[in-house]
Amino acid sequence: MAGFSVLSGNDVQALLDGSEKDVIEQVRAAYLTHHSGDTVNPDSYFLRFPEKPDARIIALPAYLGGEAGVAGIKWISSFPANVAKGEPRASAVLVLNDYDTGRPLALMEAAGISAARTAASAALAATALSAAAPATVGVVGGGVIARTLCQYLHAAAVPLDRVHCHDLDPASAKALTDHLRGRYDSDARASTLEAALDCDLVLFATTAPTPYVPAEHRFRPGQLVLNISLRDLAPETLLPADNVFDDVEHCMKANTSPHLAEQLTGGRDFVTGTLAGVLLGEVARHPDRPTVFSPFGLGVLDLAVGHWLYRRALEEGRLTELPGFFGETRRW
C-alpha cells in the first residue's frame, strides 16, 4: 500500500522557482484535457462567515485525466484582514488522491501552487490572445498575485518595460513598482486607476467584492484585459468586448462580472468562447473589439501543477514521508 507524504511550502517554492515555462505548459495541457471532457470539475464550495463577510474558505475538488490521472482537492482561505497585519491574504493546502484506490497520496502547501497556476493561466492567455506585444501594462492590485502574474508574464516574454501599478494602498503600489524596477529593470510607476486602465494589457488582481470600474468605461479595440479577480468590472464594460473564459459555466456564478452581465442581459450572447477553444483555433474573435479573459480558476489546474510538483519532489527526494499515517492497511 502506498504511503502518505507531505511537501512543504519551502520545497514547493524551490521547485517552482525558475520553472515558469514548465508550469505554463502544465496549465496549457490541463485546459486542453478539460476541453476534451477528460476531467471532473464540480462547483467550488464557499464557506463564509456571518461576522467576517469579506473572508471565505473555498473547496475545489477535481479529477484530471489524461497523463496525470489524479484526483484531489484544494482548500484555500482568503482573509483580506490579514494584509493589515502584514500577513498573506491567502493560505492553502492541496490533497492528491490516487485515482486507482482513492487513497490520499500527499498533502502539499498550496498557496504557492494556487498563485503559480493563476499566473500561468494569465501568461498563457496573454500570449494566446494578444495581437501584438503590449507597449504598456497596467496592474490593478499590488499583492502576491500581482507580483506572481508579472513573474509569469516575464517568463512568457511579455514585455514589462512600462508598467503602471495602481492600488488603493499606496504602500502596496510602491512595493510592486520597486519589485518590478529591481527584478526586471522596468520603468514601473505607481499610477492612477485611469492610467492603468488605458494600458495595452490590463491585469486585475484585487480582492474587490463588487465592481468599481464604472459602467460607462469602454476598453479600446485591441486592448487585452486579464480579469483575474473577476469582480472589478461593471457588467456593461464586458458587452462590447470579446469575452473569453476558462470555463463558461463556472464563471457564471457568485456574482462575478460575467455573471452580472448574464443577469443584466438575460443571456450569454456576450460570450465568445474558451481559452482552450482559442488555442485549438475553434473560436472566432473580432479585431475591432477589446478582449476580456475571465478565468474562474479551475481545480484541475491545481491538480496539474500539484501532481507535476509531486513527481519532481519524488524524484529529488523532497517528500517527507509519514509512515503509519493510515491506521488500517488491510481489510481483514
Side-chain angles (χ1 to χ4, degrees):
M1 177 176 175
F4 184 76
S5 301
V6 172
L7 188 63
S8 72
N10 287 338
D11 282 313
V12 166
Q13 198 57 53
L15 291 168
L16 287 174
D17 285 345
S19 299
E20 292 87 356
K21 291 181 181 179
D22 291 325
V23 175
I24 292 170
E25 186 53 42
Q26 293 300 318
V27 166
R28 177 196 293 271
Y31 274 141
L32 295 179
T33 300
H34 184 63
H35 187 76
S36 74
D38 194 11
T39 63
V40 181
N41 204 107
D43 289 345
S44 303
Y45 182 83
F46 287 70
L47 175 62
R48 299 187 182 275
F49 310 93
E51 296 181 358
K52 295 183 176 183
D54 63 338
R56 61 189 186 271
I57 309 179
I58 313 171
L60 288 83
Y63 163 72
L64 176 64
E67 294 183 4
V70 64
I73 187 168
K74 181 176 73 172
W75 181 239
I76 182 166
S77 68
S78 175
F79 278 54
N82 289 353
V83 174
K85 297 181 287 187
E87 300 174 2
R89 172 187 60 83
S91 56
V93 293
L94 176 67
V95 178
L96 298 182
N97 291 73
D98 182 86
Y99 181 58
D100 290 333
T101 66
R103 283 190 290 266
L105 294 172
L107 176 72
M108 312 172 73
E109 195 281 331
I113 293 171
S114 188
R117 66 83 151 150
T118 300
S121 170
L124 180 63
T127 55
L129 300 174
S130 293
T136 55
V137 176
V139 182
V140 183
V144 172
I145 296 299
R147 183 182 71 211
T148 312
L149 286 170
C150 291
Q151 175 185 343
Y152 276 75
L153 288 174
H154 177 75
V158 175
L160 297 176
D161 299 329
R162 296 171 58 198
V163 182
H164 291 265
C165 305
H166 175 75
D167 195 290
L168 293 177
D169 175 25
S172 295
K174 183 179 186 303
L176 181 59
T177 57
D178 289 348
H179 171 76
L180 295 176
R181 285 175 175 271
R183 181 158 184 175
Y184 306 115
D185 195 26
S186 169
D187 179 19
R189 60 191 65 187
S191 298
T192 64
L193 176 62
E194 290 72 22
L197 295 180
D198 192 48
C199 291
D200 298 331
L201 173 62
V202 182
L203 317 177
F204 287 99
T206 75
T207 58
T210 55
Y212 55 88
V213 175
E216 59 270 17
H217 182 83
R218 293 294 180 268
F219 294 102
R220 65 177 182 274
Q223 266 187 295
L224 174 60
V225 179
L226 301 181
N227 185 28
I228 306 303
S229 40
L230 286 176
R231 294 172 178 84
D232 305 76
L233 300 170
E236 291 86 350
T237 65
L238 302 181
L239 303 183
D242 276 342
N243 287 278
V244 179
F245 300 84
D246 56 354
D247 182 289
V248 175
E249 289 298 329
H250 279 269
C251 280
M252 300 299 178
K253 296 179 175 69
N255 285 331
T256 63
S257 296
H259 187 205
L260 295 177
E262 180 185 37
Q263 295 174 55
L264 177 68
T265 63
R268 298 183 179 180
D269 290 344
F270 63 94
V271 173
T272 304
T274 65
L275 181 57
V278 172
L279 295 173
L280 293 171
E282 299 174 356
V283 174
R285 294 165 57 216
H286 304 83
D288 58 340
R289 296 180 184 176
T291 299
V292 179
F293 175 57
S294 298
F296 194 78
L298 302 176
V300 292
L301 303 186
D302 298 289
L303 289 184
V305 177
H307 189 247
W308 174 75
L309 288 170
Y310 174 79
R311 297 196 309 271
R312 285 195 58 194
L314 186 63
E315 293 171 357
E316 297 183 17
R318 290 180 178 269
L319 294 173
T320 300
E321 297 185 6
L322 300 181
F325 179 81
F326 295 103
E328 293 190 15
T329 59
R330 297 186 63 84
R331 187 164 180 262
W332 290 105

